[in-house]
Amino acid sequence: MAERGQDAKYRIAETAMALFLEQGYEAVTVEAVAEASRVSRRTVFRHFGGKDELPFPDHSARLAVLDRHLASAGPDDDPVEVVIAGTEESLRDFLSRPQLVFRRYRLTRLVPELRNREIVEHERYVTLTSAFLRTRLPPGTPAYQSTGLAALIDAMHRSALRNWARSDGATDALGELEAGMEWVRTLTSAASGTPDRQLLLAMVPDTPAARRTLRSLRDAATPLD
């Protein structure tokens, strides 16, 4: 029964995104989505809280999987590695529905309201993982590090997913994420293992200018020994 409900949710989302791309987001009503999906308006709202949620049928279930993954971590598990593994699992789940991701990518570039909604959805991941890190990092760890690490790991995830979606699946998203996670490991190792080094974690807006600046800094950086 739950599987049928999930299938219906994805079918409604796919129908809605097709209509948004064909007719324009503003022109399509929830009633039109319900009619094209051959369900009632009430059924649409049983699965989605509003029109802006229609392109995001997968995030809540994926967030629940990540939550269970974090909750299952043992007391001796490295908390950063637990978050990295959960993030890799999340990306694999995204990659399992390529057409949904490709279509949503096109939509969020056309509709600012949906782009904002996408940012909100990703913030839910950061909130969950930063809360986990806050309780699991060593005592005395500065409070900002849990938020900074969670945001950095999510940024690597979003970058790999975005590049994959932009290329219609031509890039190696998992390989790109793994390379980013190795960088995170290098940073955290340097911060914890070498007292005279300082780790600066910062959150910046996801804009073309910020990405260019970060690429320049990365290219100019020297390897940590």
Side-chain angles (χ1 to χ4, degrees):
M1 188 71 172
E3 269 186 37
R4 283 204 301 274
Q6 195 70 358
D7 287 344
K9 183 176 184 179
Y10 277 99
R11 182 166 53 80
I12 293 166
E14 292 282 4
T15 301
M17 286 193 286
L19 290 174
F20 294 158
L21 286 169
E22 290 168 7
Q23 302 176 24
Y25 179 72
E26 295 298 335
V28 176
T29 63
V30 172
E31 288 76 14
V33 171
E35 183 178 350
S37 304
R38 297 184 180 179
V39 298
S40 67
R41 185 175 185 274
R42 181 178 177 182
T43 298
V44 174
F45 281 112
R46 186 162 67 241
H47 292 294
F48 301 95
K51 182 179 171 180
D52 65 335
E53 288 187 15
L54 285 165
F56 305 98
D58 48 338
H59 280 280
S60 293
R62 190 175 297 110
L63 199 69
V65 170
L66 178 59
D67 193 19
R68 289 194 295 272
H69 172 84
L70 299 177
S72 69
D76 297 324
D77 290 340
D78 183 324
V80 175
E81 289 298 330
V82 171
V83 173
I84 287 174
T87 302
E88 291 172 343
E89 183 179 353
S90 176
L91 180 60
R92 287 190 183 90
D93 195 56
F94 272 112
L95 302 184
S96 69
R97 291 183 179 271
Q99 295 309 315
L100 173 68
V101 176
F102 299 157
R103 188 172 287 171
R104 181 163 59 209
Y105 176 80
R106 292 196 295 273
L107 261 177
T108 54
R109 267 61 205 164
L110 294 171
V111 185
E113 182 176 343
L114 297 181
R115 175 61 176 157
N116 292 337
R117 180 75 204 189
E118 184 178 52
I119 292 170
V120 169
E121 292 294 339
H122 277 286
E123 281 302 314
R124 295 170 68 195
Y125 290 86
V126 175
T127 298
L128 183 61
T129 54
S130 64
F132 170 79
L133 290 170
R134 190 162 50 248
T135 61
R136 299 294 294 269
L137 288 173
T141 299
Y144 62 80
Q145 283 198 17
S146 59
T147 301
L149 280 168
L152 181 59
I153 290 170
D154 183 65
M156 299 297 173
H157 174 226
R158 285 187 290 113
S159 176
L161 182 62
R162 181 177 56 247
N163 290 340
W164 182 75
R166 183 188 292 135
S167 69
D168 282 339
T171 64
D172 178 7
L174 288 170
E176 184 177 334
L177 180 65
E178 180 56 33
M181 294 303 101
E182 281 303 313
W183 186 55
V184 171
R185 291 182 181 104
T186 301
L187 291 175
T188 53
S189 296
S192 60
T194 311
D196 61 346
R197 289 192 186 271
Q198 290 186 336
L199 174 64
L200 173 64
L201 294 176
M203 288 180 285
V204 296
D206 184 13
T207 63
R211 289 196 293 273
R212 285 195 298 271
T213 301
L214 290 172
R215 279 197 297 270
S216 298
L217 289 171
R218 182 191 61 196
D219 294 342
T222 56
L224 295 167
D225 351 273

